[in-house]
Amino acid sequence: MARMLAAGSSMMSSCSQKLGAGLWLVLLGLSAAAVPAWTKPDSLKEVTDANWDKILAGEWMIEFYAPWCPACQQLQPVWKDFADWGDDMGINVAKVDVTEQPGLSGRFIITSLPTIYHCKDGVFRRYQGPRTKDDFLAFVDEQKWKTLEPISSWFGPSSFLMNLMSALFKLSMFIRRCHNYMTDSLGIPVWGSYVIFGLVTLFLGLALGLLLVFIADFVFPSRRFSPDYHQKYRNIPTIPLPDEGQEADGEEEDDEDYDGWRRRPGPAEMKPPYADDAVRKRAVGNRQEEEEEDT
């Protein structure tokens, strides 16, 4: 009986040791699996329209992607691996979903996907090299970004022009969502949605034009409504008009002058100023010859 109890106690001790070792391994595996899941969101940052200005300080590598893009889907594992090295290299690695952040899409003029930008203290350069982890690491570690031409300040994301582009992209996305809501949720046909947008655009255009007229009239008022306008033109002396008789006399004189002008000989009919003198001298000479013959 004692032997049986001793054997049972030894079996229980061995089982407890095995159970403790197994429990320790399970806890260790769970902790190892939980640590990467907790650190990955911090290694790969997300930039939105609300916090995009934080990329103006420090060094950043930013990827613009769309979930439906096949090339973006192939790049995601590589970009996550590159993000895990970001803390060691002192660089922030981020991503931007252009379908959820239309303002940033317009601010950076994203025309192809995926698009990668490098930012160093507010100076942006577009990355156009190979898309592997080693190439990304070499681009940052060897400072190959210095060989690229930076984006002009006119087209920088913080410029006035790009702020307008961001607002325009946000407006276009808002219009698209309204169109989808009217056609999908409310059951309005597509042509009906277009008619509604056309009427709204026409009404807004008329209202904006009327507002601009009011503003222009307020800033640059018309001179007719100024207090000294009528007083200024009231002091101008008036020129008396001629009577009807004077007008008639004047018209007759004009007619006479016109007729006299018409009766004047033309250049072909006019004689030279010396023609009459020559004829007179010739007549006098002929008369003197006749008198001499008579004598």
Side-chain angles (χ1 to χ4, degrees):
M1 186 70 180
R3 291 180 180 178
M4 293 178 63
L5 292 174
S9 61
S10 62
M11 290 177 62
M12 290 178 64
S13 60
S14 61
C15 289
S16 62
Q17 292 177 359
K18 291 180 180 179
L19 183 60
L23 183 60
W24 173 254
L25 291 176
V26 171
L27 293 176
L28 183 62
L30 291 175
S31 62
V35 169
W38 181 77
T39 57
K40 281 184 179 179
D42 294 334
S43 60
L44 184 57
K45 302 176 177 59
E46 290 193 13
V47 180
T48 62
D49 290 326
N51 63 358
W52 77 271
D53 54 347
K54 68 181 183 181
I55 66 177
L56 299 177
E59 188 173 3
W60 292 75
M61 286 286 287
I62 310 165
E63 177 207 5
F64 293 84
Y65 75 100
W68 48 263
C69 175
C72 300
Q73 295 173 2
Q74 295 177 0
L75 182 61
Q76 290 309 307
V78 178
W79 195 251
K80 289 180 180 179
D81 293 341
F82 172 60
D84 294 337
W85 287 81
D87 294 335
D88 298 335
M89 303 188 66
I91 186 173
N92 300 296
V93 182
K95 61 180 181 178
V96 178
D97 187 356
V98 296
T99 60
E100 298 293 335
Q101 311 299 330
L104 288 178
S105 178
R107 193 178 295 275
F108 286 86
I109 313 181
I110 304 302
T111 57
S112 61
L113 294 174
T115 299
I116 300 173
Y117 275 94
H118 174 271
C119 178
K120 177 68 174 179
D121 296 332
V123 180
F124 291 84
R125 295 173 173 85
R126 185 169 180 176
Y127 177 82
Q128 296 179 347
R131 297 171 181 174
T132 62
K133 184 185 72 172
D134 295 336
D135 292 318
F136 293 146
L137 294 174
F139 179 79
V140 176
D141 187 36
E142 300 175 8
Q143 296 185 355
K144 293 182 179 180
W145 48 269
K146 291 184 177 180
T147 60
L148 301 179
E149 186 71 19
I151 297 176
S152 173
S153 59
W154 288 94
F155 298 98
S158 58
S159 63
F160 176 75
L161 181 61
M162 293 299 103
N163 285 327
L164 292 180
M165 289 294 295
S166 176
L168 181 61
F169 271 64
K170 289 181 180 179
L171 179 61
S172 63
M173 183 60 67
F174 173 75
I175 294 174
R176 181 178 180 182
R177 289 174 179 174
C178 291
H179 174 73
N180 294 334
Y181 175 76
M182 287 188 292
T183 55
D184 297 338
S185 301
L186 301 181
I188 299 176
V190 177
W191 63 267
S193 176
Y194 291 158
V195 169
I196 293 174
F197 280 116
L199 293 176
V200 171
T201 303
L202 180 61
F203 175 77
L204 291 178
L206 293 175
L208 181 60
L210 186 61
L211 179 62
L212 291 177
V213 170
F214 287 156
I215 294 175
D217 196 24
F218 178 77
V219 176
F220 304 101
S222 177
R223 291 183 296 176
R224 293 179 300 171
F225 300 102
S226 60
D228 58 341
Y229 178 80
H230 297 284
Q231 186 67 24
K232 176 182 177 182
Y233 286 94
R234 188 179 300 171
N235 298 330
I236 296 177
T238 58
I239 301 175
L241 297 176
D243 297 336
E244 295 181 358
Q246 295 179 357
E247 291 180 358
D249 296 339
E251 291 177 358
E252 292 177 358
E253 293 176 358
D254 294 341
D255 294 339
E256 291 177 358
D257 295 340
Y258 179 72
D259 294 338
W261 176 78
R262 292 183 62 185
R263 287 195 297 269
R264 292 177 183 175
E269 298 176 358
M270 293 179 62
K271 296 179 181 180
Y274 55 85
D276 294 338
D277 296 337
V279 172
R280 188 180 300 109
K281 290 179 181 179
R282 187 179 300 170
V284 172
N286 293 335
R287 187 177 300 174
Q288 290 177 357
E289 290 178 358
E290 291 176 356
E291 290 177 356
E292 290 177 357
E293 289 178 358
D294 293 339
T295 56

